[in-house]
Coordinates of all heavy atoms in Angstrom, one line a residue:
I1219 N 4.2 -9.2 -0.6 CA 4.5 -9.5 0.8 C 5.5 -8.5 1.4 O 5.4 -8.0 2.5 CB 4.9 -11.0 1.0 CG1 3.7 -11.9 0.7 CG2 5.5 -11.2 2.3 CD1 4.1 -13.4 0.7
V1220 N 6.6 -8.2 0.6 CA 7.6 -7.3 1.0 C 6.9 -5.9 1.2 O 7.2 -5.2 2.2 CB 8.7 -7.2 0.0 CG1 9.6 -6.0 0.2 CG2 9.5 -8.5 0.0
G1221 N 6.1 -5.5 0.3 CA 5.4 -4.2 0.5 C 4.4 -4.2 1.7 O 4.4 -3.2 2.4
A1222 N 3.7 -5.3 1.9 CA 2.9 -5.4 3.1 C 3.7 -5.3 4.4 O 3.3 -4.6 5.3 CB 2.0 -6.6 3.1
I1223 N 4.8 -6.0 4.4 CA 5.7 -5.9 5.6 C 6.2 -4.5 5.8 O 6.3 -4.0 6.9 CB 6.8 -7.0 5.5 CG1 6.2 -8.4 5.6 CG2 7.9 -6.7 6.6 CD1 7.2 -9.5 5.3
M1224 N 6.7 -3.9 4.7 CA 7.2 -2.6 4.8 C 6.2 -1.6 5.2 O 6.4 -0.6 6.0 CB 7.9 -2.1 3.5 CG 9.2 -2.9 3.2 SD 9.9 -2.5 1.6 CE 10.5 -0.9 1.9
M1225 N 5.0 -1.7 4.7 CA 3.9 -0.8 5.1 C 3.5 -1.0 6.6 O 3.2 0.0 7.3 CB 2.7 -1.0 4.2 CG 1.6 0.1 4.3 SD 2.2 1.7 4.0 CE 2.3 1.7 2.2
A1226 N 3.5 -2.3 7.0 CA 3.1 -2.5 8.4 C 4.2 -2.0 9.3 O 3.9 -1.4 10.4 CB 3.0 -4.0 8.6
A1227 N 5.5 -2.1 8.9 CA 6.6 -1.5 9.7 C 6.5 0.0 9.7 O 6.7 0.7 10.8 CB 7.9 -1.9 9.1
L1228 N 6.1 0.6 8.6 CA 6.0 2.1 8.5 C 4.8 2.5 9.4 O 5.0 3.5 10.2 CB 5.7 2.5 7.1 CG 5.8 4.0 6.8 CD1 7.2 4.5 7.0 CD2 5.4 4.2 5.3
V1229 N 3.7 1.9 9.4 CA 2.6 2.2 10.3 C 2.9 2.0 11.7 O 2.6 2.8 12.6 CB 1.3 1.5 9.8 CG1 0.2 1.6 10.9 CG2 0.8 1.9 8.5
G1230 N 3.6 0.9 12.0 CA 4.0 0.7 13.4 C 5.0 1.7 13.9 O 4.9 2.2 15.1
L1231 N 5.9 2.1 13.1 CA 6.9 3.2 13.5 C 6.2 4.5 13.7 O 6.5 5.2 14.6 CB 7.9 3.3 12.4 CG 9.1 4.1 12.7 CD1 9.9 3.6 13.9 CD2 10.1 4.2 11.5
L1232 N 5.2 4.8 12.9 CA 4.4 6.0 13.1 C 3.6 6.0 14.3 O 3.5 7.0 15.0 CB 3.5 6.2 11.8 CG 2.7 7.5 11.9 CD1 3.6 8.8 11.9 CD2 1.7 7.6 10.7
L1233 N 3.1 4.8 14.7 CA 2.4 4.7 16.0 C 3.3 4.8 17.1 O 2.9 5.5 18.2 CB 1.7 3.3 16.1 CG 0.4 3.1 15.2 CD1 -0.1 1.7 15.3 CD2 -0.6 4.1 15.6
V1234 N 4.5 4.4 17.0 CA 5.5 4.5 18.2 C 5.9 6.0 18.3 O 5.9 6.5 19.4 CB 6.7 3.6 17.9 CG1 7.8 4.0 18.8 CG2 6.3 2.1 18.1
V1235 N 6.1 6.6 17.2 CA 6.6 8.0 17.2 C 5.4 8.9 17.7 O 5.6 9.8 18.5 CB 7.0 8.5 15.8 CG1 7.2 10.0 15.7 CG2 8.3 7.8 15.4
S1236 N 4.2 8.6 17.3 CA 3.1 9.4 17.7 C 2.7 9.2 19.2 O 2.1 10.0 19.8 CB 1.9 9.2 16.8 OG 1.4 7.9 17.0
G1237 N 3.1 8.0 19.7 CA 2.8 7.7 21.1 C 3.9 8.2 22.1 O 3.8 8.0 23.3
S1238 N 4.9 8.8 21.6 CA 6.0 9.3 22.4 C 5.5 10.5 23.2 O 4.4 11.0 23.0 CB 7.3 9.6 21.6 OG 7.0 10.7 20.8
A1239 N 6.4 11.0 24.1 CA 6.0 12.1 25.0 C 5.6 13.4 24.2 O 4.7 14.1 24.5 CB 7.1 12.4 25.9
R1240 N 6.3 13.7 23.1 CA 6.0 14.9 22.4 C 5.2 14.7 21.2 O 4.8 15.7 20.6 CB 7.3 15.7 22.1 CG 8.3 14.9 21.4 CD 9.6 15.6 21.3 NE 10.5 14.7 20.5 CZ 11.0 15.0 19.3 NH1 10.8 16.3 18.8 NH2 11.7 14.2 18.6
G1241 N 5.0 13.5 20.8 CA 4.1 13.2 19.6 C 4.8 13.4 18.3 O 6.0 13.8 18.3
A1242 N 4.1 13.1 17.3 CA 4.7 13.3 15.9 C 4.4 14.7 15.5 O 3.2 15.2 15.5 CB 4.1 12.3 15.0
T1243 N 5.4 15.4 15.0 CA 5.2 16.8 14.4 C 4.7 16.7 13.1 O 4.7 15.6 12.4 CB 6.6 17.5 14.4 OG1 7.4 16.8 13.5 CG2 7.2 17.5 15.8
P1244 N 4.1 17.7 12.5 CA 3.6 17.7 11.2 C 4.6 17.3 10.1 O 4.3 16.7 9.1 CB 3.1 19.1 10.9 CG 2.8 19.6 12.3 CD 3.8 19.0 13.2
V1245 N 5.9 17.7 10.4 CA 7.0 17.3 9.4 C 7.2 15.8 9.4 O 7.3 15.2 8.3 CB 8.3 18.1 9.8 CG1 9.4 17.6 9.0 CG2 8.1 19.6 9.7
V1246 N 7.1 15.2 10.6 CA 7.3 13.8 10.7 C 6.2 13.1 10.0 O 6.4 12.1 9.2 CB 7.5 13.3 12.1 CG1 7.5 11.8 12.3 CG2 8.8 13.9 12.7
R1247 N 5.0 13.5 10.3 CA 3.8 12.9 9.6 C 3.8 13.1 8.1 O 3.5 12.2 7.4 CB 2.5 13.5 10.2 CG 2.2 13.0 11.6 CD 0.8 13.3 12.0 NE 0.5 14.8 11.9 CZ 0.4 15.6 12.9 NH1 0.6 15.1 14.1 NH2 0.2 16.8 12.7
G1248 N 4.3 14.2 7.7 CA 4.4 14.5 6.2 C 5.5 13.5 5.6 O 5.3 13.0 4.5
A1249 N 6.6 13.3 6.3 CA 7.6 12.5 5.9 C 7.1 11.0 5.8 O 7.4 10.3 4.8 CB 8.9 12.5 6.8
F1250 N 6.4 10.6 6.7 CA 5.8 9.2 6.7 C 4.8 9.1 5.5 O 4.8 8.1 4.8 CB 5.1 8.9 8.0 CG 5.9 8.4 9.0 CD1 6.4 9.1 10.1 CD2 6.3 7.0 9.0 CE1 7.2 8.6 11.0 CE2 7.2 6.5 10.0 CZ 7.6 7.3 11.0
G1251 N 4.1 10.2 5.2 CA 3.2 10.2 4.1 C 3.9 10.1 2.8 O 3.5 9.3 1.9
V1252 N 5.0 10.8 2.6 CA 5.8 10.7 1.4 C 6.4 9.4 1.2 O 6.4 8.8 0.1 CB 6.9 11.9 1.5 CG1 8.0 11.7 0.4 CG2 6.3 13.2 1.3

Side-chain angles (χ1 to χ4, degrees):
I1219 290 172
V1220 166
I1223 290 170
M1224 289 175 73
M1225 191 60 73
L1228 190 65
V1229 169
L1231 189 60
L1232 183 60
L1233 285 174
V1234 168
V1235 168
S1236 67
S1238 67
R1240 51 189 187 119
T1243 63
V1245 172
V1246 171
R1247 286 192 305 257
F1250 274 101
V1252 167

